Amino acid sequence: MEFPSQLVERAVEEISRLPGIGKKTALRLALHLLKQPEDATFELSSALKELRENIKYCKTCHIIADTEECTCQNAYRDTSVICVVEDTPDVLAIRNTGQYNGLFHVLGGRISPMDGIGPENVKIDSLISRIKSDDQVKEVILALSATMEGDTTSFYITKLLKESGIKVTTIARGIPVGSELEFADEVTLGRSITTRTLFSQD
Amino acid sequence: MEFPSQLVERAVEEISRLPGIGKKTALRLALHLLKQPEDATFELSSALKELRENIKYCKTCHIIADTEECTCQNAYRDTSVICVVEDTPDVLAIRNTGQYNGLFHVLGGRISPMDGIGPENVKIDSLISRIKSDDQVKEVILALSATMEGDTTSFYITKLLKESGIKVTTIARGIPVGSELEFADEVTLGRSITTRTLFSQD
C-alpha cells in the first residue's frame, strides 16, 4: 500500500503490529483519529504510554495492578482458598461470575515443553512458597484451560502439593449451561458423566 | 467489567473509543502490549501523537500529507485531469489500480442535507477556484460513492462547471469484474446496460 504521508505510514505500521489488526484496519483507525479532536489521540497515546510505564504486578498473586500490593489482601476476601489461573483476564472472568470470593494466583502461562516453557518459567515456585508461608490456606482450586498444557500444569501443581495436606480441586468440565447434549463433543460429554454431581433443585 | 488496575481501565477506555473495538478487544490489546517489550508500546504511543500533531493537508488537493505542498504537483503526473474523491482512502485505492496518473482533489465528505452538510462544508469552492486558476485542466473525473449523497454532490459540481467548457466524467457503474450476472442488483444491471461500452479484445 502506498501512503500519502510518512506520518500515516508509521502510525499504520505501529497499529498493525497489534494482534488481529491488519494494514487496512490500521489505516481506517489512523484516519478516524485524524477526524476526531486532537485530544482524543493525545489521551489514547498517553494512556498507552502510562500503562506500560507504570504498571505493576502484585508480588503476592501476580495480578496486573497499580501497586505491588494489590487488593488481593482485601479484608472481605476468603483467605482460605486460592484459585490458580493462567492469566489476568481469567481473574476478571471468574470475579465477574460473582461465585467466588477467595484469593487468586496468576501463573502467567502454563507448562508447555513444546514451546520451551518449563515449570520454572511460570509462577509455580511462588505459589508453593506462598502456600507454605500462609497456614490459612486450606484449598487450591485449579482453573487452568482444558488442554494438554493446562492439564500438565495441573498435574505438576497437584504433585507438589501432595504432602501438604491441602485440598486440591479443579473447576468442573461438562456441558455448558443452555447447551444441547447432541452437539457436545464426546470427551466433554464423557467427562460430564464420570464427574456427575448430585442433582439439587436450588 | 471490573478492572484490576486504574491504568488498565483508562487504557481500555481510550482504546475502545476507536471504531469497531469493544471493551473486550480493548482489554486483549492492552494486555498484549503489556506482554511485549516496552518499546513496542512507546513506539505506538509516539507514532499516534506525532501523527495527530504534525499531519498536514495539502492546500491544493487536500490530501493528507506531511507538508502543505504534497506530491500532487509531481512532474510525472498528467496535470490535465483532476479526479474528485470524497476522502484520502479513495485516493489510495485509485492510485493502487495503476490506471490513473492524473491529479486528485479530496472533498473531505459529500453534500448531505440530512446530516447538515452543505456545499460550503466540503472543498467544492476550492475545487472550482483551482480549476479556474489553472488552464491546464481539461477534464474532471467524479469518483464519488454511488449513493444519493454522492450523486447530489456530483450533480452540484457538474452544474458549477457547466459554463467552463471542461469535460466532466464519472467512473463507470456496472457489474464488477468476475461477478455473475444473476447475482447483480437490478439498478446496477440496468445501469450497466444503459451505459454499455464498445466491446474490445484488449
Side-chain angles (χ1 to χ4, degrees):
Chain A
M1 220 187 288
E2 190 198 337
F3 292 99
S5 138
Q6 302 270 321
L7 291 163
V8 173
E9 185 166 0
R10 187 179 156 217
V12 167
E13 189 70 36
E14 292 298 333
I15 298 173
S16 64
R17 284 187 213 279
L18 293 170
I21 297 187
K23 294 252 163 164
K24 278 209 169 177
T25 307
L27 179 63
R28 195 167 54 83
L29 295 179
L31 295 174
H32 168 85
L33 286 174
L34 287 175
K35 286 196 173 177
Q36 299 295 306
E38 284 196 338
D39 277 353
T41 309
F42 296 161
E43 283 293 320
L44 172 61
S45 165
S46 85
L48 293 177
K49 189 156 170 273
E50 282 168 25
L51 171 71
R52 198 66 182 83
E53 269 174 353
N54 300 329
I55 204 77
K56 301 275 190 302
Y57 292 86
C58 170
K59 61 183 178 185
T60 312
C61 68
H62 310 291
I63 290 180
I64 287 171
D66 292 339
T67 62
E68 289 194 352
E69 307 280 348
C70 80
T71 54
C72 62
Q73 301 299 356
N74 185 308
Y76 301 103
R77 293 206 171 273
D78 176 358
T79 53
S80 69
V81 205
I82 295 181
C83 179
V84 180
V85 297
E86 286 170 21
D87 233 329
T88 299
D90 305 333
V91 174
L92 302 184
I94 292 175
R95 272 196 198 156
N96 279 343
T97 66
Q99 300 291 318
Y100 179 70
N101 190 33
L103 303 175
F104 284 96
H105 190 92
V106 178
L107 292 180
R110 50 197 178 193
I111 298 172
S112 170
M114 295 280 280
D115 304 312
I117 302 172
E120 67 283 1
N121 301 116
V122 294
K123 305 285 184 191
I124 292 180
D125 283 355
S126 149
L127 173 68
I128 303 302
S129 59
R130 181 180 173 188
I131 292 169
K132 281 191 180 153
S133 66
D134 181 357
D135 54 10
Q136 283 192 293
V137 179
K138 303 286 175 247
E139 182 177 354
V140 166
I141 304 176
L142 301 170
L144 306 177
S145 44
T147 58
M148 208 170 68
E149 291 84 8
D151 285 344
T152 306
T153 314
S154 293
F155 282 128
Y156 187 84
I157 294 172
T158 311
K159 212 175 119 195
L160 290 180
L161 291 176
K162 211 169 184 179
E163 313 282 280
S164 67
I166 284 168
K167 192 170 153 194
V168 179
T169 56
T170 180
I171 52 169
R173 311 293 180 190
I175 309 298
V177 178
S179 191
E180 308 258 359
L181 278 203
E182 59 177 320
F183 302 124
D185 66 290
E186 285 169 32
V187 182
T188 304
L189 190 54
R191 248 168 112 164
S192 79
I193 292 171
T194 53
T195 62
R196 64 194 176 278
T197 56
L198 279 174
F199 185 72
S200 85
Q201 289 188 314
D202 299 340
Chain B
M1 219 186 290
E2 191 197 338
F3 292 98
S5 140
Q6 301 271 319
L7 290 163
V8 173
E9 185 167 0
R10 187 178 156 217
V12 167
E13 187 72 34
E14 292 298 333
I15 298 173
S16 65
R17 284 187 213 279
L18 293 171
I21 297 186
K23 295 251 163 162
K24 278 210 167 175
T25 308
L27 179 63
R28 195 166 55 82
L29 296 179
L31 295 174
H32 168 85
L33 286 175
L34 286 175
K35 287 196 171 175
Q36 300 295 306
E38 284 198 338
D39 276 354
T41 309
F42 296 160
E43 283 293 320
L44 172 61
S45 165
S46 86
L48 293 177
K49 187 154 171 276
E50 282 169 25
L51 171 71
R52 198 64 182 86
E53 268 174 354
N54 301 329
I55 203 76
K56 301 273 190 303
Y57 293 85
C58 170
K59 62 183 177 184
T60 312
C61 67
H62 310 291
I63 290 178
I64 287 170
D66 292 338
T67 62
E68 290 195 351
E69 307 281 347
C70 80
T71 54
C72 62
Q73 302 297 358
N74 186 307
Y76 301 103
R77 295 207 170 272
D78 176 359
T79 53
S80 70
V81 205
I82 296 180
C83 179
V84 180
V85 296
E86 286 170 21
D87 234 329
T88 299
D90 305 332
V91 174
L92 301 184
I94 292 174
R95 271 196 198 154
N96 279 344
T97 66
Q99 299 291 318
Y100 179 71
N101 189 33
L103 304 176
F104 285 97
H105 189 91
V106 178
L107 292 181
R110 52 198 178 192
I111 299 173
S112 171
M114 295 279 280
D115 303 312
I117 303 172
E120 66 283 2
N121 302 114
V122 293
K123 306 283 186 194
I124 293 181
D125 283 355
S126 149
L127 172 68
I128 303 300
S129 60
R130 180 179 173 190
I131 293 169
K132 281 191 178 151
S133 66
D134 182 357
D135 55 9
Q136 283 191 294
V137 180
K138 303 285 176 248
E139 182 177 354
V140 166
I141 303 176
L142 301 170
L144 306 177
S145 45
T147 57
M148 208 171 68
E149 291 82 8
D151 285 345
T152 306
T153 314
S154 293
F155 282 128
Y156 187 84
I157 294 172
T158 312
K159 213 176 120 197
L160 290 179
L161 291 175
K162 210 170 185 181
E163 314 281 279
S164 66
I166 283 167
K167 193 171 152 192
V168 179
T169 56
T170 180
I171 53 169
R173 312 293 180 188
I175 309 299
V177 178
S179 190
E180 309 257 359
L181 277 203
E182 57 178 320
F183 302 123
D185 65 290
E186 286 170 30
V187 181
T188 305
L189 191 54
R191 248 167 112 164
S192 80
I193 292 171
T194 54
T195 62
R196 65 194 177 277
T197 56
L198 278 174
F199 185 73
S200 86
Q201 288 187 315
D202 298 340

